[in-house]
Amino acid sequence: MASAPTPIRLYNTFTHAKELLTPVRPGVVRIYSCGPTVYRYVHIGNLRTFMLPDLLCRTLEYLGYRTEQVMNITDVGHLVDDTFDRGEDKMLVSARLEKKSPEEIAAFYTEAFRLDAASVNIRPAAHYPHATHYIPQMIELIASLIEKGHAYEVGGTVYYDIASFAAYGRLSRNTTDKLLAGARGEVDPRKRHPGDFTLWKAAGEHRLQIWPSPWGPGFPGWHIECSAMSMSLLGDRIDIHTGGADNVFPHHEAEIAQSEGVTGHRVVGCWLHGEHLLLAGSRMAKSAGNFFRITELEEQGFDPLAFRYLALQARYRAKLNFSTAGLAGADRALRVLREHLADWSTDGRPVDFRSADVAGLESRFRSAIADDLDFPAAMALVAELTRSMLLPGAKASLLRAWDRVLGLDLDRPPPALALPTGAPELLAFREKARAAKDFAKSDELRDELAAIGVAVTDTPEGQRWKVHSSRDRGRA
Ligand code: AMP
Ligand code: ZN
């Protein structure tokens, strides 16, 4: 019989406390994650947010749970100014600028998102629902909200009546008064409250991405999409919902009002929010243009998993300042760790997992990840393991097990760097000098090789060499 999963505590934004996870179905954790709006490439800030459910699922599985994860693809309804339902749909803006249909834009950037996510070892979710495939479910929810007195229609647009939902503002700690004070600029005078948000928007002048509805042709609001997709795929009691810190308000606040307005009960058990990635102190943002794509970092010679290594060094609830210097450090550390693992793996002696040292480290690793995903603590244990007196084989086995959670692909051999021009000849001369026991000459050749980035060591089987990357050489 399988043993019971290890208990895990997670910080719930809804209750402002770390809570013990108690899945609706014991042993199975169902997770809904807000995914990308596919109108542009995702940046590494977005990837940090999408890495959170990946780390969560890997952790849960390591601790003995099964997981089912849904991540949506927003391909309609996310407005440029989403605060108070103004502005143009992001998909339509890109379609216009790139002279493509919204469907082409969505297909292109969805594929780009999948590739970028895969390059940082984010495992695919079980389902990737597209918002445009769930319009009937959204219409059904909106009709139910109108029937229950939570929504009203004006001229083909349907608004959520926030005054009808007593708990509105609880997740984000916004009172209705604060919401009122926060309403800036032009507000539709037909709204009962300036904070009422759009469930369905009348097509107006829109010609693209519109659907028929009981209120006339139009398109859904961004928030209703996640209520419809999450409940259609995971039912009306979901264990964990993830997103970025900026999703707390208005997106998730609205989602609670919608889902609970329809069902009459709490739908999401734990709301988990990842903090932002910053660049020079400001939030990395597609709209502000201050961002890096993971592919750009690869083009600069970094291993994309160095970004993952970097992200693991911060708590998910802490902001993380990105810099290429920080990334270079992570890239080096990752390479060294891979080299260690390769070295330790040559030890063929059997590993005793019950030995006190191994069991102690393993139990501390589990406690770290089960304590609200404390990856900085887990990475500190990786360093402790490296320095420890454990047998190399034990180190290799433990690190390989931990890498199922860390996802750093530590078994991947470091890329073999090509020998610089002239190096093969110098190595051949040195081989001859050693055979002739001309050690002065062989030392001289070793220095020459070092100067062009080739480190040579002598072993009983002959000379071995390693090529250092140009980045290392620049720093030497
Ligand atoms: P979007 O595609 O704009 O809907 O964003 C996708 C996800 O990335 C959302 O859940 C955001 O909360 C998140 N996000 C946006 N900017 C950042 C950032 N700088 N750092 C971390 N996450 C972010
Ligand atoms: Zn969402």
Side-chain angles (χ1 to χ4, degrees):
M1 205 181 83
S3 55
T6 306
I8 175 168
R9 281 151 51 86
L10 296 169
Y11 184 87
N12 187 349
T13 311
F14 194 73
T15 56
H16 274 223
K18 263 194 223 174
E19 292 173 349
L20 197 65
L21 177 72
T22 42
V24 175
R25 271 195 282 151
V28 184
V29 185
R30 283 162 319 132
I31 301 158
Y32 182 85
S33 303
C34 286
T37 306
V38 284
Y39 71 111
R40 274 189 214 170
Y41 291 116
V42 296
H43 55 65
I44 53 173
N46 303 131
L47 287 180
R48 183 183 189 207
T49 288
F50 302 140
M51 213 178 275
L52 174 61
D54 174 59
L55 289 168
L56 174 68
C57 287
R58 287 169 179 268
T59 296
L60 289 168
E61 286 165 26
Y62 196 79
L63 298 178
Y65 300 87
R66 281 201 296 122
T67 62
E68 188 179 353
Q69 191 208 349
V70 173
M71 180 179 277
N72 78 288
I73 302 285
T74 299
D75 55 358
V76 63
H78 195 166
L79 303 186
V80 176
D81 177 349
D82 61 44
T83 314
F84 288 100
D85 311 310
R86 288 190 297 264
E88 261 188 290
D89 190 304
K90 290 179 175 178
M91 296 297 302
L92 297 185
V93 175
S94 284
R96 196 182 62 233
L97 293 177
E98 297 191 28
K99 299 192 171 49
K100 288 183 184 155
S101 70
E103 293 74 22
E104 284 169 327
I105 292 285
F108 180 83
Y109 289 109
T110 302
E111 185 52 22
F113 154 69
R114 279 178 202 254
L115 293 174
D116 287 358
S119 76
V120 292
N121 264 355
I122 293 176
R123 296 184 317 180
H127 312 277
Y128 285 105
H130 285 62
T132 48
H133 301 168
Y134 286 78
I135 305 289
Q137 290 87 337
M138 295 177 209
I139 290 176
E140 203 179 306
L141 287 183
I142 297 169
S144 170
L145 286 169
I146 294 177
E147 195 188 300
K148 290 180 156 66
H150 287 302
Y152 56 95
E153 185 236 327
V154 281
T157 286
V158 183
Y159 287 118
Y160 192 101
D161 179 1
I162 60 168
S164 75
F165 188 72
Y168 193 73
R170 174 156 175 205
L171 180 77
S172 56
R173 303 292 190 273
N174 274 325
T175 60
T176 309
D177 286 348
K178 272 204 230 156
L179 295 172
L180 188 62
R184 288 163 283 117
E186 223 179 287
V187 173
D188 183 346
R190 300 169 305 173
K191 279 188 182 182
R192 293 183 190 163
H193 184 291
D196 288 354
F197 58 87
T198 310
L199 295 168
W200 187 263
K201 204 164 168 88
E205 288 163 12
H206 285 267
R207 291 284 173 273
L208 293 167
Q209 286 201 300
I210 56 170
W211 290 264
S213 83
W215 317 285
F219 60 96
W222 174 37
H223 314 314
I224 196 69
E225 301 179 0
C226 283
S227 284
M229 288 184 274
S230 64
M231 291 199 289
S232 297
L233 287 160
L234 295 172
D236 63 5
R237 292 190 195 270
I238 298 165
D239 298 309
I240 305 174
H241 193 311
T242 77
D246 57 306
N247 291 149
V248 174
F249 185 84
H251 189 47
H252 292 161
E253 193 72 76
E255 194 178 323
I256 292 175
Q258 296 161 165
S259 301
E260 299 191 6
V262 168
T263 62
H265 62 72
R266 183 124 161 232
V267 172
V268 170
C270 178
W271 287 91
L272 205 67
H273 291 103
E275 254 303 345
H276 286 147
L277 189 71
L278 312 181
L279 189 64
S282 310
R283 176 183 154 195
M284 204 176 263
K286 286 185 211 184
S287 48
N290 64 331
F291 63 84
F292 282 107
R293 275 192 71 197
I294 194 73
T295 48
E296 288 174 73
L297 299 175
E298 266 182 284
E299 280 155 19
Q300 291 176 27
F302 294 106
D303 184 325
L305 290 176
F307 176 67
R308 191 173 174 105
Y309 190 104
L310 189 75
L312 287 170
Q313 286 173 312
R315 290 298 294 251
Y316 76 88
R317 286 201 293 127
K319 291 184 172 60
L320 173 61
N321 229 322
F322 176 81
S323 69
T324 38
L327 185 67
D331 192 276
R332 269 197 304 278
L334 177 61
R335 207 145 13 104
V336 168
L337 204 52
R338 288 205 177 113
E339 282 168 10
H340 280 319
L341 185 59
D343 289 346
W344 299 334
S345 301
T346 53
D347 180 11
R349 281 171 284 184
V351 179
D352 182 4
F353 278 96
R354 288 158 312 172
S355 88
D357 291 342
V358 173
L361 276 169
E362 166 63 6
S363 135
R364 285 166 63 207
F365 181 83
R366 279 175 176 264
S367 304
I369 58 176
D371 176 16
D372 196 26
L373 313 176
D374 190 348
F375 279 98
M379 292 302 279
L381 286 164
V382 169
E384 193 176 322
L385 169 86
T386 308
R387 291 191 308 265
S388 77
M389 302 302 286
L390 285 182
L391 290 174
K395 290 185 181 181
S397 302
L398 213 46
L399 190 56
R400 219 166 252 136
W402 293 355
D403 197 29
R404 297 209 308 270
V405 186
L406 305 175
L408 291 170
D409 241 356
L410 293 175
D411 261 317
R412 192 205 291 164
L417 295 169
L419 279 170
T421 321
E425 293 77 8
L426 291 174
L427 286 165
F429 288 150
R430 189 167 181 277
E431 191 87 19
K432 276 196 201 134
R434 273 169 50 83
K437 301 213 181 318
D438 183 351
F439 297 116
K441 183 73 191 164
S442 112
D443 285 353
E444 196 182 297
L445 286 163
R446 189 197 349 237
D447 292 346
E448 272 187 56
L449 282 155
I452 57 169
V454 182
V456 188
T457 46
D458 295 315
T459 73
E461 292 83 37
Q463 59 179 6
R464 293 276 177 276
W465 59 88
K466 218 180 248 177
V467 184
H468 288 295
S469 73
S470 50
R471 263 209 310 278
D472 283 344
R473 264 179 269 151
R475 263 182 223 106

